[in-house]
Amino acid sequence: MLAVAQSDVLRLEHVHTYYGARHILQGVTLNINSGEVVALIGRNGAGKSTTLRSIIGLKKPKTGKVLFLDKDITSLAPHRVAALGIGLVPQGGGIFPDISVMENLMFSPVKREGEWDLRRVLTLFPRLEERRNQRGKTLSGGEQKMLAVARALVMNPKLLLMDEPSEALAPLFVREIGQIIREIAKTGVSVLLVEQNIPLALSASNRCYVFNKGRVVYQATPDVLRVNQDVMHQYLGV
């Protein structure tokens, strides 16, 4: 398990989010500390991705608060949230398919001062350095996911939201994604990870929140969660 310095980067307080008449998040409360990896896990439709969307401003909570570095960001537009230091790796990656790897990395709507320049990002992702002149759509699925993470990192976030980064990846790339998440956290960037791959979520995280029907029903360290067979079976189908 990763060592963590304890100070709040993000807090959600009793967040309720709707899609039309559908009550998706039903009082979600959670926090993430500096340099910590927190995994949100649960079955499909449990509210995990909606939690990320509520944080980044893509879906406004109806009630409750989202606090980033003690600033209330609940009502802010996505570009203003990003400018404060929250990066998003969306489900599916969201890269630009028709421009090169380097153009993808340089095309950032947010420019923040920090350690994550192109040189450092390409050191973390040597495969992207090798393919720097290739168009995004010519990369493999795993390489596209790496490019999506790299694009978020060059914005120098304090908090990185990752939505299903292992989706549709071969086992080799899943292992690489896990290693990358751990390396990012070592630099002090906090990571909030939504992940259906339970072994990856448990191996990469410091803490886990288990979601069911829009609520947090359990939270624990990975070691404690692994041995709680009732929770693993009832909410995760493991």
Side-chain angles (χ1 to χ4, degrees):
M1 187 181 300
L2 302 169
V4 177
Q6 298 295 318
S7 60
D8 269 353
V9 169
L10 178 82
R11 293 200 312 277
L12 272 63
E13 297 180 352
H14 310 292
V15 168
H16 292 259
T17 302
Y18 290 73
Y19 281 95
R22 290 191 301 148
H23 193 179
I24 305 300
L25 299 187
Q26 303 183 26
V28 169
T29 295
L30 58 82
N31 78 298
I32 181 169
N33 301 306
S34 176
E36 187 178 32
V37 180
V38 170
L40 310 184
I41 53 180
R43 292 188 171 92
N44 285 333
K48 307 180 301 297
S49 293
T50 300
T51 299
L52 298 192
R53 292 174 65 84
S54 298
I55 293 166
I56 202 68
L58 293 170
K59 192 65 184 176
K60 304 297 184 189
K62 186 171 183 179
T63 61
K65 288 185 179 181
V66 180
L67 301 170
F68 177 62
L69 299 175
D70 292 325
K71 177 181 175 65
D72 188 342
I73 63 169
T74 313
S75 61
L76 295 186
H79 71 279
R80 293 186 61 193
V81 175
L84 290 173
I86 300 181
L88 173 66
V89 181
Q91 189 172 13
I95 67 165
F96 295 104
D98 293 318
I99 62 176
S100 71
V101 167
M102 287 302 295
E103 289 168 329
N104 264 279
L105 293 176
M106 295 171 66
F107 189 79
S108 172
V110 174
K111 303 294 184 184
R112 287 171 44 83
E113 294 296 323
E115 301 176 6
W116 287 101
D117 56 15
L118 283 175
R119 180 178 178 182
R120 183 169 189 182
V121 165
L122 292 175
T123 298
L124 181 62
F125 299 96
R127 195 169 291 136
L128 296 182
E129 173 69 70
E130 295 169 4
R131 290 154 174 73
R132 58 188 294 145
N133 296 319
Q134 289 184 218
R135 286 188 291 175
K137 66 184 178 184
T138 69
L139 303 179
S140 70
E143 290 164 351
Q144 290 186 27
K145 291 289 179 68
M146 290 179 184
L147 180 55
V149 177
R151 284 187 65 223
L153 284 176
V154 295
M155 295 167 55
N156 278 288
K158 297 179 182 293
L159 170 64
L160 186 60
L161 311 178
M162 303 182 73
D163 196 355
E164 303 282 6
S166 78
E167 184 181 44
L169 294 187
L172 175 62
F173 279 113
V174 172
R175 288 194 292 272
E176 286 196 49
I177 288 292
Q179 292 168 0
I180 288 165
I181 292 169
R182 289 187 286 271
E183 287 299 315
I184 291 170
K186 287 178 184 177
T187 71
V189 176
S190 304
V191 180
L192 188 58
L193 171 68
V194 166
E195 185 53 69
Q196 286 292 108
N197 185 314
I198 301 303
L200 170 61
L202 295 180
S203 68
S205 64
N206 302 101
R207 289 187 296 123
C208 301
Y209 287 92
V210 180
F211 275 62
N212 185 57
K213 297 180 179 179
R215 299 176 183 269
V216 173
V217 293
Y218 186 76
Q219 67 163 304
T221 64
D223 289 343
V224 171
L225 181 55
R226 283 188 186 97
V227 298
N228 191 327
Q229 293 302 308
D230 290 340
V231 170
M232 294 287 283
H233 178 72
Q234 182 177 355
Y235 299 115
L236 304 176
V238 177

